[in-house]
Amino acid sequence: MLIKRRKGWEIPEHLATPEALFLNRRAVLSGAAALAGAAVWPQWAAADADPTASLYPAKRNETYKLDRDITPEDVNGKYNNFYEFGFTKDIYRTVDSLKTRPWTVAVDGMVEDKKTYGIDDLIKAMPLEERLYRHRCVEAWGMAVPWTGFPLSALIAKAKPLSSAKYVRFETFLDAKMAPTQRQTWYPWPYVEGLTMAEAMNDLTFMVTGAYGKPLPKPHGAPLRLATPWKYGFKSIKSIVKITFTDERPVSYWETLQSSEYGFWANVNPKVPHPRWSQATEEVLGTGQRVPTLLFNGYGDYVADLYKGLEGQPLYM
Ligand SMILES: Nc1nc2c(c(=O)[nH]1)N[C@H]1C(S)=C(S)[C@@H](COP(=O)(O)O)O[C@H]1N2
Ligand SMILES: [Mo]
């Protein structure tokens, strides 16, 4: 999985380095170099007071390797899809109205242990780790991020689903006071996504609470978002308030809006074009370069088995 790239635009190790070390190292850099980097906490990364902040950075799980550099933090934090805060990529300008404390996450539906967690209790109860993941948006751009979080399977183990549960449904907050576009009631708010139980239990399926060694910045969907790196990015739902175990296949926000273009499975496949554009290549965010897209975004070893026997389904849209 060799990828040609421009040299010298970033040093990936620095970007994924825990901030404490990073800042120390930075102290010996020249003033100009420091100013050009992330020494100043960027405005878009400002988070509400966070009682879990001391848990970051978490230890990196080295199992998950990248085939490309980590996307620079400031590039990534200023190029986001978070439609609750606007329909352009520069929602970092409006996202501050998202209030991430207090915040609760309800776990309900077909489980033995229905429970509403305070976000800080939930984060403290879960095994936090850092993972370097690719992310491939259906719009044919990709990035690579050091997420912090916990495997969804750890939360599922606490919830104890009944055998009747076949799917997990995720829901984003609904609050038009925080999210300007939620006043546009002709959109199917709140944002909803879903996975099969097998997908939800997969090792890769990660509940994200942090990025770049810190609590999750608002543009990325604080305080809790999903990362399913083998699927198109819209599956990775942000700012989750509810996780429901169900026997009905969830109908996602995007499926409700445009089912001919955005389906339930949405696995990355370079050979299956979107109805309006090719998926063969992707722009590597922040580099101006295009690289070939990989089946399952390069995560086939982890997930291909999930789809055996389902070949008749529209797995790649
Ligand atoms: N609630 C919610 N979740 C969302 C979205 C959104 O608009 N609202 N956009 C999705 C899309 S299309 C992508 S590509 C990713 C973007 O994540 P990022 O901003 O962290 O790159 O979030 C996904 N999760
Ligand atoms: Mo996306």
Side-chain angles (χ1 to χ4, degrees):
M1 284 198 299
L2 245 184
I3 285 173
K4 276 217 176 96
R5 59 177 174 79
R6 192 192 305 159
K7 282 214 175 92
W9 60 270
E10 258 316 339
I11 307 164
E13 262 311 298
H14 283 191
L15 293 163
T17 303
E19 194 79 351
L21 292 174
F22 185 24
L23 288 175
N24 273 338
R25 211 182 297 165
R26 225 165 235 299
V28 302
L29 298 177
S30 77
L35 273 178
V40 179
W41 192 287
Q43 174 267 327
W44 53 261
D48 296 341
D50 185 338
T52 67
S54 64
L55 300 176
Y56 302 87
K59 192 172 186 304
R60 185 178 303 167
N61 181 337
E62 301 287 352
T63 309
Y64 305 97
K65 309 269 189 237
L66 291 178
D67 63 343
R68 61 193 65 176
D69 293 341
I70 287 175
T71 306
E73 184 178 2
D74 57 338
V75 171
N76 203 345
K78 289 184 165 175
Y79 189 90
N80 304 93
N81 282 330
F82 200 169
Y83 292 104
E84 286 83 344
F85 296 93
F87 298 107
T88 55
K89 295 286 186 283
D90 59 350
I91 58 88
Y92 72 93
R93 298 174 193 279
T94 51
V95 75
D96 204 45
S97 58
L98 170 63
K99 290 293 161 253
T100 60
R101 295 294 187 286
W103 191 276
T104 57
V105 181
V107 176
D108 66 9
M110 297 173 162
V111 289
E112 278 177 36
D113 272 343
K114 294 191 182 94
K115 186 168 172 172
T116 297
Y117 293 86
I119 188 68
D120 298 311
D121 295 336
L122 177 65
I123 292 173
K124 285 177 193 158
M126 290 291 140
L128 291 194
E129 63 184 50
E130 183 177 74
R131 295 185 182 187
L132 307 184
Y133 270 5
R134 290 185 294 274
H135 173 104
R136 171 58 156 81
C137 176
V138 73
E139 298 161 337
W141 54 267
M143 61 183 188
V145 197
W147 296 125
T148 306
F150 56 88
L152 177 57
S153 59
L155 180 57
I156 292 178
K158 272 199 183 300
K160 301 193 203 75
L162 309 179
S163 58
S164 48
K166 302 284 180 260
Y167 299 94
V168 185
R169 180 184 183 278
F170 304 86
E171 200 175 289
T172 296
F173 71 86
L174 180 62
D175 183 347
K177 287 194 298 297
M178 291 202 297
T181 60
Q182 288 188 339
R183 283 166 222 155
Q184 301 184 21
T185 49
W186 53 93
Y187 289 99
W189 307 116
Y191 201 99
V192 167
E193 262 306 336
L195 299 171
T196 64
M197 277 302 291
E199 290 176 327
M201 289 297 293
N202 189 271
D203 283 346
L204 275 183
T205 305
F206 202 50
M207 300 304 294
V208 173
T209 64
Y212 297 92
K214 293 177 294 229
L216 195 61
K218 292 179 184 183
H220 293 304
L224 182 69
R225 63 91 61 84
L226 179 67
T228 46
W230 73 100
K231 291 178 175 284
Y232 288 117
F234 65 85
K235 298 293 292 184
S236 293
I237 180 173
K238 296 178 168 181
S239 300
I240 295 165
V241 295
K242 191 146 79 139
I243 302 175
T244 305
F245 293 76
T246 167
D247 57 1
E248 268 175 63
R249 192 161 98 173
V251 181
S252 77
Y253 175 87
W254 282 105
E255 205 176 347
T256 306
L257 269 179
Q258 191 71 285
S259 64
S260 59
E261 299 192 353
Y262 308 102
F264 172 76
W265 298 100
N267 296 311
V268 175
N269 188 337
K271 295 204 174 119
V272 180
H274 183 275
R276 290 183 283 131
W277 58 82
S278 164
Q279 296 290 22
T281 63
E282 66 203 56
E283 184 184 330
V284 181
L285 193 61
T287 70
Q289 309 242 309
R290 296 195 78 82
V291 298
T293 289
L294 304 170
L295 180 61
F296 295 117
N297 200 20
Y299 292 101
D301 288 351
Y302 295 92
V303 298
D305 280 355
L306 291 172
Y307 305 105
K308 295 244 165 79
L310 294 174
E311 290 80 2
Q313 303 236 4
L315 292 174
Y316 306 106
M317 66 150 285

